């Protein structure tokens, strides 16, 4: 498993993880609309935020979280799945 920075291609899997904690959703069934894409781009462009994923090693996303850096050595984890 690999813990890495999320890319645009991970967005459907991230949305699937965040959409429902009770049900496993198939990322291929997720419609990544413009609002999701813009939100991801805003997080990606902000040096104080980082979207991370747990990758099975073959590109399959198993988990995600958003890190918000508060100070140089402090961060808050959000949307952990």
């Amino acid at each position: 498993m690999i813990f890495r920075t999320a890319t645009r291609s991970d967005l459907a899997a991230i949305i699937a993880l965040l959409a429902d904690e009770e049900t496993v959703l198939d990322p291929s069934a997720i419609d990544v609309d413009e609002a999701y894409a813009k939100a991801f781009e805003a997080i990606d462009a902000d040096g104080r935020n980082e979207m991370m994923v747990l990758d099975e090693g073959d590109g399959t996303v198993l988990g995600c979280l958003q890190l918000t850096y508060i100070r140089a050595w402090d961060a808050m984890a959000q949307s952990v799945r």
Side-chain angles (χ1 to χ4, degrees):
M1 285 190 250
I2 304 164
F3 192 59
R4 62 172 173 76
T5 302
T7 64
R8 173 68 176 78
S9 63
D10 298 318
L11 193 48
I14 292 168
I15 295 167
L17 288 166
L18 296 175
D20 192 339
E21 293 184 26
E22 301 294 323
T23 306
V24 177
L25 301 176
D26 181 356
S28 67
I30 299 295
D31 178 30
V32 180
D33 65 23
E34 187 177 344
Y36 286 125
K38 284 184 178 183
F40 180 81
E41 290 168 10
I43 292 169
D44 195 42
D46 184 347
R48 297 168 296 163
N49 287 286
E50 189 169 15
M51 183 63 75
M52 305 292 295
V53 294
L54 179 63
D55 181 325
E56 192 166 17
D58 62 358
T60 302
V61 175
L62 302 174
C64 64
L65 63 85
Q66 179 182 343
L67 289 175
T68 299
Y69 299 101
I70 302 165
R71 290 183 219 77
W73 299 104
D74 292 325
M76 177 175 57
Q78 306 174 88
S79 302
V80 179
R81 302 291 191 276

